[in-house]
Amino acid sequence: MNAVTYELIKTCKQTGARLGRVHTPHGSFETPVFMPVGTLATVKTMSPEELKEIGAHMILSNTYHLWLRPGEDIVKEAGGLHQFMNWDGSILTDSGGFQVFSLSDLRDIEEAGVHFRNHISGEKLFLSPEKAMEIQNALGADIMMAFDECPPYPAEHKYMKDSVERTSRWAERCLTAHQRAHDQGLFGIVQGGEYEDLRRQSAKDLTSLDFPGYAIGGLSVGEPKDVMNRVLEFTTPLLPDSKPRYLMGVGSPDSLIDGSIRGIDMFDCVLPTRIARNGTCMTSNGRLVVRNAKFALDFSPLDPNCDCHTCQNYSRAYIRHLIKADETFGLRLTTYHNLYFLVKLMEQVREAIKADRLGDFREEFFEQYGFNKPNAKNF
Ligand SMILES: [Zn+2]
């Protein structure tokens, strides 16, 4: 029996989007779902109690960052990540691969793994499939990810082919090294960039290894939205219906809806929390930069259609003042709202799938948010 299982409840007759349920050792939740990112075992500025209140069921933490600080041994000694951070919901850890490839300029990829420098101290480090499994087994998340290479966009076909083949060999080594299959589900990551033949090859290699779930990696790395949508269109049908599908690093409202329409069940992204700390909010009427001077005397809520704690109690003028004055409470209020907004958006997506009208919901949402306007921003 796998530690993580998926139940398909229904597909939307209008779009083919999936309504499902993921079961993990720390609870079950309906999908499609958005997972807030807690890089260093904390979703920046939010307490686990607040995350619960918002309605988050699963959060993501980063293996690379926790490996460097405080070190997986300390987390293990605390009783694992759930105990350490006092979060009894589900947790997913990534493999560290993405950070190694994105944060470090000095790296050397070989069959055994990757040599690189610690982005904080400059110290030489080595990460391999076996090491990524050892760290993630010590952290003890419900879902862990296979160690992969995430090439930049664009990458040449020849480079991508070699990379996909190595990622498949690494995935097999991850399965062998994984010590806790009974209580941690290991997901494989389909790579291949924009190339259909390579996505096909990657999906074939990985599904033959029978992981309990599959991620689609290598998207949201700078490619245009239509490229992402096209890749999803030919990739999700290559994955088994009986396993969850996770699109890594995607969290703008339009992409959450468009990804769900293309059969994705799980999403994560730093976008809502990162822009919140910069004074930018997602609202039902589009993007709102609350730092702007025009809100100095605006005593209305961030989003008049939102019933979150922030919108029920605090005004744009007050939040603008806090952020301008570098008061951390301002960042808590915007972060709370943005996460609530995306959690609610996914609830609406699931309701629309139940009613077989996700296509109509997409049209209504895009119209109100302003995605249909020329020069519309992505979030
Ligand atoms: Zn709100």
Side-chain angles (χ1 to χ4, degrees):
M1 179 71 182
N2 282 323
V4 175
T5 56
Y6 174 79
E7 206 185 317
L8 178 62
I9 298 170
K10 75 161 285 193
T11 50
C12 171
K13 290 199 180 79
Q14 203 175 53
T15 62
R18 304 175 358 134
L19 178 75
R21 184 166 266 281
V22 169
H23 301 278
T24 81
H26 289 83
S28 303
F29 46 86
E30 280 196 344
T31 55
V33 73
F34 176 76
M35 305 179 284
V37 178
T39 299
L40 279 157
T42 171
V43 175
K44 289 191 199 311
T45 79
M46 290 289 100
S47 69
E49 293 76 14
E50 286 167 324
L51 292 171
K52 274 224 170 115
E53 197 176 278
I54 286 167
H57 291 283
M58 179 159 215
I59 60 168
L60 189 135
S61 256
N62 294 116
T63 292
Y64 170 83
H65 292 284
L66 293 172
W67 176 36
L68 302 190
R69 292 181 301 190
E72 72 278 14
D73 291 346
I74 291 180
V75 177
K76 189 180 181 186
E77 189 66 28
L81 202 45
H82 296 87
Q83 284 275 1
F84 186 52
M85 65 180 291
N86 191 36
W87 169 257
D88 61 5
S90 307
I91 304 179
L92 183 151
T93 47
D94 64 1
S95 70
F98 183 78
Q99 283 74 24
V100 168
F101 291 104
S102 62
L103 288 178
S104 177
D105 322 324
L106 298 163
R107 58 175 185 261
D108 185 15
I109 308 168
E110 53 185 54
E111 188 62 27
V114 189
H115 296 273
F116 64 101
R117 285 185 188 277
N118 175 336
H119 76 288
I120 306 163
S121 68
E123 174 200 3
K124 280 187 182 170
L125 291 168
F126 179 69
L127 197 56
S128 63
E130 290 75 18
K131 184 67 189 170
M133 293 302 103
E134 187 191 320
I135 302 169
Q136 291 188 79
N137 281 154
L139 296 174
D142 300 82
I143 297 178
M144 43 194 259
M145 303 302 300
F147 185 66
D148 65 330
E149 181 186 354
C150 179
Y153 176 86
E156 285 187 8
H157 190 275
K158 167 79 178 89
Y159 183 91
M160 193 61 86
K161 186 170 168 45
D162 291 344
S163 169
V164 159
E165 288 168 358
R166 186 169 46 233
T167 287
S168 295
R169 292 190 295 272
W170 283 357
E172 210 167 339
R173 280 166 55 191
C174 286
L175 268 182
T176 309
H178 182 20
Q179 297 289 316
R180 293 177 56 178
H182 61 286
D183 68 347
Q184 290 185 278
L186 172 63
F187 283 21
I189 306 176
V190 175
Q191 290 284 358
E194 63 189 304
Y195 304 110
E196 186 169 354
D197 60 327
L198 299 182
R199 289 281 175 186
R200 191 171 292 281
Q201 182 185 344
S202 180
K204 184 167 170 271
D205 292 349
L206 295 173
T207 52
S208 76
L209 297 173
D210 199 24
F211 286 95
Y214 296 92
I216 298 177
L219 290 176
S220 199
V221 291
E223 78 285 358
K225 294 255 171 179
D226 60 321
V227 171
M228 171 154 69
N229 286 335
R230 189 170 51 84
V231 170
L232 291 178
E233 263 154 37
F234 58 65
T235 306
T236 48
L238 305 170
L239 301 173
D241 284 338
S242 58
K243 307 278 176 76
R245 303 159 179 173
Y246 159 34
L247 176 56
M248 305 179 81
V250 166
S252 63
D254 53 339
S255 297
L256 292 177
I257 297 172
D258 283 340
S260 299
I261 286 173
R262 288 163 182 82
I264 297 296
D265 308 304
M266 300 161 66
F267 302 85
D268 82 287
C269 193
V270 294
L271 180 75
T273 42
R274 181 172 288 166
I275 65 171
R277 296 195 305 278
N278 198 25
T280 300
C281 298
M282 298 169 173
T283 80
S284 52
N285 295 306
R287 187 168 166 271
L288 184 135
V289 184
V290 74
R291 298 180 69 93
N292 287 350
K294 66 176 175 183
F295 300 117
L297 280 164
D298 186 340
F299 301 104
S300 65
L302 288 176
D303 184 349
N305 298 316
C306 179
D307 58 1
C308 86
H309 182 75
T310 299
C311 294
Q312 293 304 301
N313 296 287
Y314 303 95
S315 69
R316 293 171 177 181
Y318 178 59
I319 295 168
R320 172 179 184 271
H321 153 68
L322 293 177
I323 289 177
K324 296 286 285 181
D326 282 330
E327 286 291 342
T328 52
F329 188 48
L331 313 183
R332 287 166 51 80
L333 293 174
T334 50
T335 301
Y336 190 104
H337 165 80
N338 276 359
L339 288 178
Y340 188 90
F341 182 80
L342 287 191
V343 167
K344 286 287 151 186
L345 172 63
M346 298 317 283
E347 253 175 56
Q348 291 171 288
V349 165
R350 294 192 297 270
E351 285 305 316
I353 297 173
K354 276 178 204 164
D356 294 311
R357 61 177 307 278
L358 185 56
D360 295 342
F361 174 77
R362 179 191 186 277
E363 285 314 304
E364 293 155 14
F365 182 87
F366 273 46
E367 188 59 38
Q368 202 186 345
Y369 202 95
F371 285 127
N372 293 338
K373 286 185 204 146
N375 308 320
K377 295 266 185 189
N378 286 338
F379 53 84

